[in-house]
């Protein structure tokens, strides 16, 4: 009889953690949604070079503030200055009270390291993006000239 109670208790201990882990948290849902939107934007803007589709992924506020012609110019400028996207790696996700931040490191033909930042509003919609090329050799040259 003790063996049956022990077996039942062991089964309960095995089932309890599985049910607790089965329900995703609000943070997990937000991360998944925002990661999907980020990947859609990267695919549209940087891979397919379709600025209209990239703008469609963004929030209503962003669509009001950014015209389709401005988005096209930004896409053309990125293609000219950075080249084609070679690689994209997720770096971090930061959760704030009213916004969330995704950061990717990317590699392009003409720029070895580019930091790509996405800002999401409290509704989980993409409000802002920024691509910042990192050129350590140019920064070192500029600082050396300033010292002289």
């Amino acid at each position: 009889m003790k063996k049956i109670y022990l077996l039942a208790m062991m089964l309960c201990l095995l089932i309890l953690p599985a049910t607790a882990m089965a329900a995703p948290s609000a943070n997990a849902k937000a991360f998944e949604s925002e990661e999907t939107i980020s990947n859609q934007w990267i695919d549209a803007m940087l891979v397919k070079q379709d600025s209209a589709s990239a703008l469609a992924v963004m929030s209503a506020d962003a669509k009001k503030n950014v015209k389709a012609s401005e988005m096209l110019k930004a896409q053309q400028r990125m293609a000219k200055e950075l080249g084609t996207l070679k690689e994209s790696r997720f770096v971090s996700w930061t959760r704030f009270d009213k916004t969330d931040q995704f950061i990717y490191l990317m590699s392009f033909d003409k720029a070895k390291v580019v930091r790509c930042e996405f800002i999401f509003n409290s509704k989980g919609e993409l409000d802002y993006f920024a691509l910042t090329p990192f050129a350590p050799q140019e920064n070192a040259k500029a600082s050396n000239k300033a010292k002289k």
Side-chain angles (χ1 to χ4, degrees):
M1 194 68 163
K2 290 180 184 180
K3 290 181 183 179
I4 294 174
Y5 286 124
L6 183 61
L7 183 62
M9 190 63 100
M10 292 299 286
L11 286 174
C12 288
L13 289 175
L14 289 174
I15 293 172
L16 184 64
T19 57
M21 293 178 64
S25 69
N27 288 341
K29 290 178 185 177
F31 177 85
E32 180 183 5
S33 171
E34 292 171 1
E35 183 185 33
T36 301
I37 292 169
S38 298
N39 288 329
Q40 288 173 347
W41 189 92
I42 290 168
D43 185 54
M45 189 73 160
L46 302 175
V47 176
K48 296 177 182 172
Q49 297 185 352
D50 183 7
S51 60
S53 295
L55 185 59
V57 172
M58 298 183 74
S59 70
D61 290 338
K63 290 175 189 173
K64 289 178 190 174
N65 295 329
V66 178
K67 297 177 184 172
S69 60
E70 293 172 345
M71 193 74 160
L72 178 61
K73 287 179 187 177
Q75 183 267 316
Q76 291 170 342
R77 189 177 72 240
M78 282 188 270
K80 180 182 175 186
E81 293 175 7
L82 302 175
T84 58
L85 179 66
K86 288 181 166 181
E87 184 179 10
S88 174
R89 291 189 181 240
F90 171 76
V91 175
S92 71
W93 178 60
T94 308
R95 199 108 215 246
F96 298 106
D97 290 338
K98 296 183 181 180
T99 61
D100 294 340
Q101 174 190 45
F102 261 82
I103 296 178
Y104 289 86
L105 285 180
M106 299 178 172
S107 176
F108 290 83
D109 288 339
K110 298 177 183 177
K112 299 289 182 206
V113 180
V114 177
R115 180 180 186 261
C116 182
E117 179 180 4
F118 296 105
I119 302 295
F120 291 86
N121 61 23
S122 59
K123 298 175 188 173
E125 300 169 330
L126 180 60
D127 272 347
Y128 177 80
F129 68 91
L131 276 79
T132 308
F134 180 70
Q137 293 174 349
E138 292 174 11
N139 291 340
K141 289 177 185 177
S143 66
N144 286 340
K145 287 181 183 179
K147 288 179 184 178
K148 292 178 182 180

